[in-house]
Amino acid sequence: MKLKTRYSLTGVGFILPFLVGFAMLYLVPFVWSVQKTFTAGAGGARFVGLWNYTDLFHSAAFRLAAGNTLRFIGVGVPLLMALSFLLALALYRKFRGASFFRSAFLLPMVLPVAAVVTVVQAFFGDGGLLVRLLDSLGLPLGSWMDSELAFPLLIGLYIWKNCGYNMILFLAGLSAIPKDYADAAACEGASAGYILRHITLPMMVPNFFFVFVISVINAFKSFREAYLLGGSMPHESIYMLQHFMNNNFQNLNYPRLCTAALLIFSVIFLLVLLLFRVKRKGEVT
């Protein structure tokens, strides 16, 4: 047996367990889910074509969940990225205690979500400490989880939990920028704002792209916080697509569940593909 063939067979042997696992855990379920979107009835006995898709778009619950999810991403992701980048700029400077603050901002990542939500409920829930304090001051807002205030509360939890991680990613990007550029610009009389705008930000574009994708993915993971705050049927302002799919799973409505999941996958896939094309076009120009 030739040495090249032996190396090829060795490579196939190493990658084969991964391919088998990927096919069993991802590819086969994905194909099954796509097939399920065109069927109805117990066990998918009837072929109904695109009926599940049209029924989904006529569903008031789905439209509410999709709108809330888009609003959550549109508000939460830009705020998270802006705050994370500002913190990274502040902690990039060497000062006493910088290492402590970098570690402190990572603590939310290791704290159990259930414990954090319990603390939030103790302050903002019905009869919570902050609710009673505001009530004594003449501001009877009631439970935040049962009102429109649930949405900014969920946004705050999302930012608090993911800010440290994004900050570390931005710090890594700032550390990769050669200091010679900023030093040369400063010697020419450039201000700190000019250096930030014309040197730091352009060289941080790949980091912004990566952090944006990660932030959108983490936004879809905020279902745990939303579910623990309001259960399977929370206030309508935080009723997300994950709630919609979870409720259909509990109701055994697998065709609608698969249809919603496929639409979410398609939106995320197209968004990431568009971002990659914009990034590639920017690199070319």
Side-chain angles (χ1 to χ4, degrees):
M1 184 181 293
K2 294 183 179 180
L3 185 61
K4 184 177 181 181
T5 305
R6 185 183 303 173
Y7 282 153
S8 300
L9 292 176
T10 302
V12 172
F14 276 116
I15 200 174
L16 188 60
F18 165 77
L19 294 177
V20 172
F22 178 80
M24 292 179 59
L25 300 176
Y26 292 97
L27 186 59
V28 173
F30 179 78
V31 174
W32 179 85
S33 299
V34 173
Q35 179 267 335
K36 206 74 176 176
T37 63
F38 301 104
T39 62
R46 291 185 295 111
F47 177 78
V48 294
L50 298 176
W51 183 86
N52 285 317
Y53 293 90
T54 57
D55 177 66
L56 192 67
F57 284 112
H58 284 89
S59 171
F62 177 77
R63 294 198 301 269
L64 174 64
N68 286 337
T69 303
L70 291 176
R71 184 165 66 115
F72 183 83
I73 294 175
V75 174
V77 171
L79 288 177
L80 173 63
M81 293 185 63
L83 182 59
S84 302
F85 184 66
L86 291 176
L87 287 174
L89 287 176
L91 296 179
Y92 181 67
R93 302 176 180 273
K94 294 182 179 180
F95 60 91
R96 195 170 185 178
S99 299
F100 168 77
F101 285 109
R102 292 178 185 178
S103 302
F105 280 111
L106 289 176
L107 283 178
M109 294 184 61
V110 300
L111 292 176
V113 176
V116 175
V117 172
T118 301
V119 174
V120 172
Q121 290 176 340
F123 280 90
F124 301 98
D126 191 16
L129 296 177
L130 186 60
V131 172
R132 285 186 290 176
L133 176 62
L134 293 175
D135 187 59
S136 64
L137 296 175
L139 298 172
L141 298 178
S143 174
W144 288 38
M145 273 84 81
D146 299 326
S147 66
E148 293 290 339
L149 294 173
F151 182 78
L153 184 61
L154 185 61
I155 290 285
L157 276 176
Y158 165 71
I159 294 175
W160 175 79
K161 188 169 182 61
N162 297 284
C163 187
Y165 179 67
N166 286 6
M167 179 194 70
I168 294 299
L169 295 177
F170 281 130
L171 281 173
L174 291 172
S175 300
I177 299 176
K179 294 184 179 180
D180 298 342
Y181 297 160
D183 293 340
C187 291
E188 296 293 331
S191 63
Y194 183 91
I195 295 174
L196 175 65
R197 181 180 177 183
H198 295 280
I199 297 178
T200 304
L201 289 179
M203 299 194 71
M204 288 287 292
V205 169
N207 296 84
F208 276 106
F209 168 78
F210 179 74
V211 171
F212 178 78
V213 174
I214 293 296
S215 299
V216 172
I217 294 174
N218 288 332
F220 282 96
K221 294 181 180 179
S222 297
F223 170 66
R224 295 174 300 174
E225 290 83 351
Y227 186 83
L228 290 172
L229 282 175
S232 59
M233 295 299 294
H235 187 267
E236 63 176 16
S237 63
I238 57 172
Y239 183 77
M240 304 293 181
L241 283 171
Q242 296 91 330
H243 286 100
F244 178 82
M245 291 190 294
N246 182 69
N247 293 340
N248 280 280
F249 176 77
Q250 293 180 347
N251 296 331
L252 304 180
N253 194 342
Y254 296 128
R256 175 177 278 195
L257 167 64
C258 293
T259 305
L262 183 61
L263 288 175
I264 294 174
F265 165 79
S266 302
V267 170
I268 296 177
F269 178 80
L270 292 175
L271 176 62
V272 174
L273 182 63
L274 177 63
L275 289 173
F276 268 109
R277 291 203 170 190
V278 171
K279 178 175 177 291
R280 193 179 299 114
K281 184 178 180 181
E283 292 175 349
V284 173
T285 55

